[in-house]
Amino acid sequence: QVQLVESGGGLVQPGGSLRLSCAASGFIFSRQTMGWYRQAPGKQRELVATIGSGGSTIYGASVKGRFTISRDNAKNTVYLQLNSLRPEDTAAYYCNTLYSWTNYWGQGTQVTVSS
């Protein structure tokens, strides 16, 4: 079955960096578009970034130029590098893929940006 397991969240000061990882299983990873989304308390879940099977990327407007999505097909893992973090980046970050007409989500990893 499809599994997405995120890791790498934590507490970081404004201006700091984190790298999130999402380990995937249960499907042919190299063929799948993978995405990162985030949800802050009281707000809707929003797109952070996606990466296609060929490596093409799309970023949400609020993170463009600060965050970088990448993938390692040999490790079935997608990464999200978060730089220049701001308090408004505080949220639960979720890994996502659409496989066989079903949207799959990981359990989420919390990122808190605070001094």
Side-chain angles (χ1 to χ4, degrees), residues 18-115:
L18 281 174
R19 189 175 84 153
L20 308 183
S21 300
C22 171
S25 61
F27 58 94
I28 302 175
F29 179 81
S30 61
R31 297 182 183 175
Q32 286 296 116
T33 292
M34 301 297 298
W36 285 97
Y37 290 73
R38 68 185 182 185
Q39 187 167 20
K43 295 189 176 181
Q44 288 190 329
R45 193 167 294 191
E46 65 171 352
L47 170 71
V48 176
T50 65
I51 184 166
S53 57
S56 59
T57 57
I58 296 173
Y59 292 94
S62 61
V63 307
K64 196 175 293 186
R66 300 187 298 123
F67 293 6
T68 303
I69 190 171
S70 62
R71 66 192 298 157
D72 186 337
N73 290 337
K75 295 182 178 180
N76 286 2
T77 300
V78 59
Y79 303 98
L80 185 68
Q81 179 68 40
L82 292 68
N83 295 331
S84 302
L85 282 161
R86 306 167 180 168
E88 54 265 38
D89 295 318
T90 295
Y93 284 70
Y94 298 91
C95 184
N96 167 269
T97 194
L98 177 64
Y99 175 73
S100 192
W101 309 108
T102 301
N103 237 340
Y104 289 93
W105 300 92
Q107 82 286 355
T109 186
Q110 179 67 35
V111 172
T112 302
V113 185
S114 175
S115 54

